[in-house]
Amino acid sequence: QVQLQESGPGLVKPSETLSLTCGVPGSSISGYYYWGWIRQPPGKGLEWIGTIYHDGSTYYNPSLKSRVTISVDTSKTRFSLRLSSVTAADTAVYYCARLVRGYTYGRYYYYMDVWGEGTTVTVSS
Amino acid sequence: SYELTQPPSVSVSPGQTARITCFGDALPNQYAYWYQQKPGQAPALVIYKDIERPSGIPERFSGSSSGTTVTLTISGVQAEDEADYYCQSADTIGTSVIFGGGTKLTVL
């Protein structure tokens, strides 16, 4: 079973850029799966941030698109999230995940089958 | 984009059947998925493509779909099933992931 591990600063100042990395030890990001980021503010529900494929194609949440960049490391063993101009509203647990995406019987399928354990990011001065 | 609507909470006694619903206008044309999240843990997939159960998920978890509503059913609820449950779907072109607001299942 593949395991994902988030890493990055736990504290970011307002107006700065949040940067996180997700490692996929022992596996490669190339191939069938997509990879993405989801966050959860304290006491609230899940919010999808964005998804990337190994060829670099990306899909972003429209509400965050202007501030988000997701990229794949050239080693193909990790991918990263950058969220610019952060405010207190960006304080959350950030999860990386493996996604399954495809098209069958006239419908898209698109879901997270493996999650990292999450990392807490607090935006505060 | 569209919304998925779940009840905030559902309560059942041990051994009973819990049903958690999720409503969305696009659900007749999009697959639905369900995640279980226990306190302090990451979400875990329990149902995919409306009715499929990943390996390792107990048979008491099942999914169904009828028009604009999908339902997660937990038969013979156990204390360990107490958790938050989130439904999820995608937009019609398979680019955006959409989550419901979550339902807190309480086992009385």
Coordinates of all heavy atoms in Angstrom, one line a residue, chain A residues 28-35 53-54:
Chain A
S28 N 6.5 5.9 -7.8 CA 6.7 7.0 -8.7 C 5.4 7.6 -9.0 O 4.4 7.0 -9.0 CB 7.3 6.4 -10.0 OG 7.3 7.4 -11.0
I29 N 5.5 8.9 -9.3 CA 4.3 9.7 -9.6 C 3.8 9.4 -11.0 O 2.7 9.7 -11.4 CB 4.5 11.2 -9.3 CG1 4.6 11.4 -7.8 CG2 3.4 12.0 -9.9 CD1 4.9 12.8 -7.3
S30 N 4.7 8.9 -11.8 CA 4.3 8.5 -13.2 C 3.3 7.5 -13.2 O 3.2 6.6 -12.3 CB 5.6 8.1 -14.0 OG 6.6 9.0 -14.0
G31 N 2.5 7.4 -14.3 CA 1.6 6.3 -14.5 C 0.1 6.7 -14.4 O -0.3 7.8 -14.7
Y32 N -0.7 5.8 -13.9 CA -2.1 5.8 -14.0 C -2.7 6.9 -13.1 O -3.7 7.5 -13.4 CB -2.6 4.4 -13.6 CG -4.1 4.3 -13.4 CD1 -5.0 4.3 -14.5 CD2 -4.7 4.2 -12.1 CE1 -6.4 4.2 -14.3 CE2 -6.0 4.1 -11.9 CZ -6.9 4.1 -13.0 OH -8.2 4.0 -12.8
Y33 N -2.1 7.1 -11.9 CA -2.8 7.9 -10.9 C -2.6 9.4 -11.1 O -1.6 9.9 -11.7 CB -2.3 7.5 -9.5 CG -2.7 6.1 -9.1 CD1 -1.8 5.0 -9.2 CD2 -4.0 5.8 -8.8 CE1 -2.2 3.7 -8.9 CE2 -4.4 4.5 -8.4 CZ -3.5 3.5 -8.5 OH -3.8 2.2 -8.2
Y34 N -3.5 10.2 -10.4 CA -3.4 11.6 -10.3 C -3.0 11.9 -8.8 O -3.1 11.0 -8.0 CB -4.7 12.3 -10.6 CG -5.0 12.3 -12.1 CD1 -5.4 11.1 -12.7 CD2 -5.0 13.5 -12.8 CE1 -5.7 11.1 -14.1 CE2 -5.3 13.5 -14.2 CZ -5.7 12.3 -14.8 OH -6.0 12.3 -16.1
W35 N -2.6 13.1 -8.5 CA -2.1 13.4 -7.2 C -2.7 14.8 -6.8 O -2.8 15.7 -7.6 CB -0.6 13.4 -7.1 CG -0.1 12.1 -7.7 CD1 0.2 11.8 -9.0 CD2 0.2 10.9 -6.9 NE1 0.6 10.5 -9.1 CE2 0.6 10.0 -7.8 CE3 0.1 10.6 -5.6 CZ2 1.0 8.7 -7.4 CZ3 0.4 9.3 -5.2 CH2 0.9 8.4 -6.1
Y53 N -1.4 15.7 -12.7 CA -1.0 14.4 -13.4 C 0.5 14.5 -13.6 O 1.1 15.6 -13.6 CB -1.8 14.3 -14.7 CG -1.7 12.9 -15.2 CD1 -2.0 11.8 -14.5 CD2 -1.4 12.7 -16.6 CE1 -2.0 10.5 -15.0 CE2 -1.4 11.4 -17.2 CZ -1.7 10.3 -16.4 OH -1.7 9.1 -16.9
H54 N 1.1 13.3 -13.9 CA 2.6 13.3 -14.0 C 3.1 14.1 -15.2 O 4.2 14.5 -15.2 CB 3.1 11.9 -14.0 CG 2.7 11.1 -15.3 ND1 3.4 11.2 -16.5 CD2 1.7 10.3 -15.5 CE1 2.8 10.5 -17.4 NE2 1.7 9.9 -16.8

